[in-house]
Amino acid sequence: MKYSGQFWLSRDLVKLLANHIEQPAPIITSVPLHWRRYLHRGFNQSALLADALAHELNSQSLALFRRQRATPTQQGLSKTQRQNNLRNVFSFRNKDVMKVIAKGDAHVAIMDDVVTTGSTVYQLCQLLLEVGVKRIDIYCICRTPEPAS
């Protein structure tokens, strides 16, 4: 899907995923791409998956995060390299949105296409926890084994 430009597969993939989600988050967000990578690829696979999944689960899809700087692809990096690659890369897009979801016992899900070490979603979770989100789910299509360190 991601490297072959087959973005239309997102609908079918989330139908498979939706069957495994017992308590859907009311808000589903996605891992942001840097604008250069977005222009090169033509789409953000995580955002497409988040939008389709939110529709399937009757949840709301919100783009909460932005990528502040371009980073090398995570593919092929060790766990330590992945963590260092993503340090201070993400921020919130809109602080007003955060005020809405941080009220009370907020429940947010982060959609990523592939999770290997969890470094990417860890960084995003830290931001959500800082604003008071109480429950964070991670939804992904694939879980790959960690590369050798």
Side-chain angles (χ1 to χ4, degrees), residues 59-143:
S59 296
Q60 183 179 12
S61 177
L62 293 174
L64 300 179
F65 306 107
R66 70 182 184 96
R67 190 177 287 252
Q68 301 180 116
R69 61 180 167 83
T71 56
T73 182
Q74 295 280 85
Q75 190 175 13
L77 299 179
S78 71
K79 183 173 186 172
T80 303
Q81 290 170 321
R82 286 170 181 253
Q83 290 167 339
N84 291 334
N85 192 35
L86 295 176
R87 194 161 281 127
N88 300 316
V89 168
F90 301 110
S91 65
F92 290 116
R93 283 180 60 143
N94 183 336
K95 297 199 187 297
D96 293 333
V97 172
M98 294 317 303
K99 291 176 190 173
V100 171
I101 67 167
K103 290 180 182 173
D105 190 13
H107 178 194
V108 176
I110 301 169
M111 181 77 226
D112 200 0
D113 59 334
V114 179
V115 172
T116 301
T117 64
S119 299
T120 303
V121 293
Y122 175 83
Q123 295 294 326
L124 299 174
C125 287
Q126 293 307 304
L127 290 171
L128 291 172
L129 292 170
E130 287 173 12
V131 296
V133 173
K134 302 295 184 206
R135 178 176 171 183
I136 304 168
D137 294 342
I138 308 303
Y139 301 155
C140 68
I141 299 300
C142 295
R143 173 80 169 103

Side-chain angles (χ1 to χ4, degrees), residues 1 11 21 24-25 27 29 35 38 41 43 49 62 64 85 89 91 101 114:
M1 176 186 157
R11 292 185 306 272
I21 300 173
I27 296 170
T29 192
W35 63 269
Y38 182 87
R41 189 173 294 152
F43 63 96
L49 292 165
L62 293 174
L64 300 179
N85 192 35
V89 168
S91 65
I101 67 167
V114 179

Side-chain angles (χ1 to χ4, degrees), residues 42-54:
F43 63 96
N44 177 342
Q45 69 284 352
S46 295
L48 289 175
L49 292 165
D51 291 346
L53 186 60

